[in-house]
Amino acid sequence: QIDLVDPASQKELLQAYTEMAGAATQPRFASVSADLNSAFRDALIGVASGDVSIDDALAGLQAVVDGQ
């Protein structure tokens, strides 16, 4: 049960998207390791909070990718 802002224009598109997603044969993030997923989360939180620069966040993600 979802309250849509404009059901007349959103409902049909949402139903089509739901059907398409339900027919997918592969998980969206199947190739993302737990380590990379954690690195993404940490990078996003760090940048959003201002504790980490974008360049440092990208370097951290690259380090995880390089280590895999």
Side-chain angles (χ1 to χ4, degrees), residues 1 4 8-11 22-23 32 34 37 40-41 45 48 50 54 60 62-64 66-67:
Q1 189 72 318
L4 300 173
S9 64
Q10 293 175 292
K11 187 175 180 181
V32 177
N37 189 45
F40 273 121
R41 181 199 61 223
I45 291 170
I54 293 173
Q62 189 64 56
V64 172
D66 291 345

Side-chain angles (χ1 to χ4, degrees), residues 11-42:
K11 187 175 180 181
E12 185 178 328
L13 293 172
L14 184 57
Q15 288 174 328
Y17 174 77
T18 302
E19 289 175 18
M20 184 175 54
T25 59
Q26 298 177 348
R28 182 174 177 190
F29 296 108
S31 63
V32 177
S33 69
D35 289 340
L36 185 54
N37 189 45
S38 293
F40 273 121
R41 181 199 61 223
D42 294 345

Side-chain angles (χ1 to χ4, degrees), residues 47 52-62:
V47 170
V52 178
S53 71
I54 293 173
D55 289 337
D56 288 344
L58 290 173
L61 289 169
Q62 189 64 56

